[in-house]
Amino acid sequence: VCFTRDNGPTHDGAGGSDSIFFLSAGVLRGFKGSLFEGGVRVPMIVRWPGRVPPGRTTDHIAAHQDVLPTLCELAGAKTPTGLDGISFAPTLFGKGEQKKHAFLYWEFSGYGGQQAVRLGDWKALRQNMHKGNTTIQLFNLAKDIGETTNVAADHPAIVERVRRIMTEQHTPSKPFPFKTIDGGK
């Protein structure tokens, strides 16, 4: 049994919810639709008696694109080529070497256009891109899980690295148009 979700808590009282009152995102900033940690960081709980040791936790950073490669590995099926995901079966079983992502990339054309990159403990984000905003915010999640202090000015090399990732990882889509700033794509 695997329990997870696709986004953080909802906002604006949708469905009668009150995420602010109940502190649904805890100390994390943002809700559903946001690329801040409160919008993208979700739990995953796995129970598989006799296979996955109970009571363990991990700080392995994974994303939903890792689920298919993991299920393929568990089923003994060939993982399709060209995927961004990495199997987290070694983490589940506590055996073998767990490969890690060089970075994670998100984009969302809604809410004014957003992009985010997770690079180890670094998280970069830009918002309101459809209005021409190119400003990249940078947070050190090891020191600031709530993404309250933008440290971009102190780390220009990291900002430039994530800017390149944001440009290179974007793929144009007609159903989900996204106006990127860098490279005019």
Side-chain angles (χ1 to χ4, degrees):
V1 174
C2 178
F3 172 83
T4 190
R5 64 179 296 157
D6 66 341
N7 52 253
T10 192
H11 49 81
D12 297 333
S17 66
D18 193 340
S19 295
I20 294 171
F21 176 80
F22 289 107
L23 299 174
S24 298
V27 299
L28 303 179
R29 181 176 177 184
F31 296 112
K32 177 180 180 173
S34 167
L35 295 183
F36 283 108
E37 290 295 284
V40 298
R41 183 183 285 240
V42 297
M44 176 178 274
I45 301 168
V46 176
R47 182 176 188 272
W48 191 355
R51 298 291 308 268
V52 175
R56 286 188 321 121
T57 61
T58 179
D59 61 359
H60 174 68
I61 299 168
H64 280 88
Q65 63 261 35
D66 299 330
V67 173
L68 178 59
T70 303
L71 293 175
C72 287
E73 183 174 340
L74 297 178
K78 184 178 180 195
T79 302
T81 58
L83 299 179
D84 291 332
I86 298 171
S87 171
F88 54 82
T91 294
L92 285 177
F93 299 133
K95 298 178 186 173
E97 181 182 341
Q98 176 63 64
K99 293 180 183 175
K100 296 181 180 182
H101 289 278
F103 61 86
L104 290 173
Y105 170 77
W106 299 267
E107 71 176 46
F108 185 43
S109 64
Y111 299 93
Q114 306 171 69
Q115 288 180 303
V117 172
R118 172 83 188 251
L119 190 61
D121 288 334
W122 297 106
K123 170 86 173 286
L125 177 80
R126 57 181 173 187
Q127 303 171 290
N128 298 313
M129 295 177 66
H130 296 314
K131 294 180 180 178
N133 182 35
T134 61
T135 303
I136 294 177
Q137 300 172 70
L138 183 68
F139 304 95
N140 182 330
L141 297 179
K143 297 178 181 177
D144 179 21
I145 194 68
E147 296 167 295
T148 61
T149 305
N150 180 2
V151 296
D154 299 330
H155 303 279
I158 295 170
V159 170
E160 184 53 36
R161 184 173 174 196
V162 296
R163 184 185 312 280
R164 282 193 311 271
I165 292 169
M166 288 173 170
T167 301
E168 293 167 0
Q169 293 302 305
H170 172 71
T171 302
S173 168
K174 286 185 181 182
F176 301 100
F178 190 85
K179 178 183 171 188
T180 62
I181 306 303
D182 300 332
K185 295 181 183 175

